[in-house]
């Protein structure tokens, strides 16, 4: 299934080397993605003119598995939300609200066990509410290009499967990530080799305002909120 293959590729590149050391046993990330897709299938609700799929998933892990996932939880949650959106779009299902994914610890579960509660939770989709979405004005190689931010999670780097691909040799394969949460965009460095600068200052994670300049290598990405 292309969605699952893309999920594994994106996640493997985002957390390079982590899975080979940490996830040799126990619940695997792709198992969670498969379970979510199955729960979307089983939990569909047929309306008058549209089929609605669950958009909220509470995932229960054993204490041992939960401890191993802690380091990569934010990245995994972000990619699982993308799986939910992609699956709904591919199969023509609607979502009553934005995807929600949470991990909880269940002391009664053993390593390798996975619990999942799926539900339909209404809410305002920030992507739809944003209207004219934010964009990046990218200055590189003496030229400019504008890239609209069409997802609430946007990865920037040299890898071809990044949402924003840079040719800059100073950029890491998966260099930084832009995220929309609560109507506010932020930029986070993904452990890059050369770091990420915001308005000339090296940062780990910071909220963005209109006109802010993110520098990756020698490439400048100007954030535009309208």
């Amino acid at each position: 299934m292309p969605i699952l293959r893309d999920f594994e590729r994106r996640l493997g590149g985002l957390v390079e080397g982590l899975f080979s050391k940490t996830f040799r046993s126990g619940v695997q990330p792709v198992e969670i993605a498969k379970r979510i897709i199955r729960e979307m299938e089983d939990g569909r609700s047929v309306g008058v003119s549209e089929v609605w799929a669950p958009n909220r998933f509470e995932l229960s892990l054993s204490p041992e598995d939960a401890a191993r996932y802690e380091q990569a939880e934010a990245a995994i949650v972000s990619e699982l939300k993308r799986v939910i959106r992609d699956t709904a779009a591919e199969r023509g299902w609607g979502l009553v609200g934005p995807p929600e994914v949470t991990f909880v610890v269940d002391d009664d579960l053993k390593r390798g066990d996975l619990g999942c509660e799926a539900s339909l939770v209404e809410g305002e989709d920030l992507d739809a509410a944003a209207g004219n979405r934010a964009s990046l004005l990218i200055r590189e190689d003496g030229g400019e290009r504008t890239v609209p931010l069409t997802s609430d999670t946007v990865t920037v780097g040299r890898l071809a499967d990044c949402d924003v691909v840079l040719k800059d040799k100073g950029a890491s394969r998966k260099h930084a990530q832009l995220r929309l949460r609560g109507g506010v965009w932020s930029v986070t460095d993904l452990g890059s080799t050369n770091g990420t600068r915001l308005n000339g200052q090296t940062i780990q994670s910071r909220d963005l305002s209109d006109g802010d300049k993110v520098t990756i290598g020698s490439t400048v990405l100007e954030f535009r909120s309208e």
Side-chain angles (χ1 to χ4, degrees), residues 1 8 10 14 19 44 53 68 77 84 96 98 104 110 142 178 194 208 224:
M1 182 181 297
E8 288 187 292
R10 290 195 308 269
L14 189 62
F19 298 132
R44 288 174 299 162
R68 294 205 306 273
V77 166
I84 296 168
V96 297
V104 298
K110 299 178 180 179
L178 279 69
N194 297 319
L208 292 170
R224 301 286 182 86

Side-chain angles (χ1 to χ4, degrees), residues 31-97:
E31 291 180 49
I32 299 177
K34 288 180 179 178
R35 179 66 177 272
I36 284 177
I37 292 174
R38 187 167 70 248
E39 294 288 344
M40 292 179 72
E41 175 82 34
D42 294 342
R44 288 174 299 162
S45 176
V46 180
V48 176
S49 59
E50 190 167 6
V51 176
W52 301 97
N55 63 303
R56 186 182 189 281
F57 300 86
E58 182 177 283
L59 303 163
S60 301
L61 299 173
S62 69
E64 186 175 355
D65 279 324
R68 294 205 306 273
Y69 269 76
E70 185 176 2
Q71 183 180 349
E73 182 174 332
I76 293 171
V77 166
S78 176
E79 293 300 339
L80 288 172
K81 289 180 179 179
R82 184 166 175 175
V83 166
I84 296 168
R85 288 187 184 277
D86 289 349
T87 300
E90 181 185 82
R91 305 192 183 187
W93 300 336
L95 299 175
V96 297

Side-chain angles (χ1 to χ4, degrees), residues 156-178:
V156 183
R158 286 190 294 106
L159 276 184
D161 62 348
C162 286
D163 300 298
V164 178
V165 179
L166 303 180
K167 297 179 181 179
D168 196 320
K169 293 182 179 179
S172 294
R173 298 168 65 205
K174 294 269 181 143
H175 194 106
Q177 186 178 76
L178 279 69

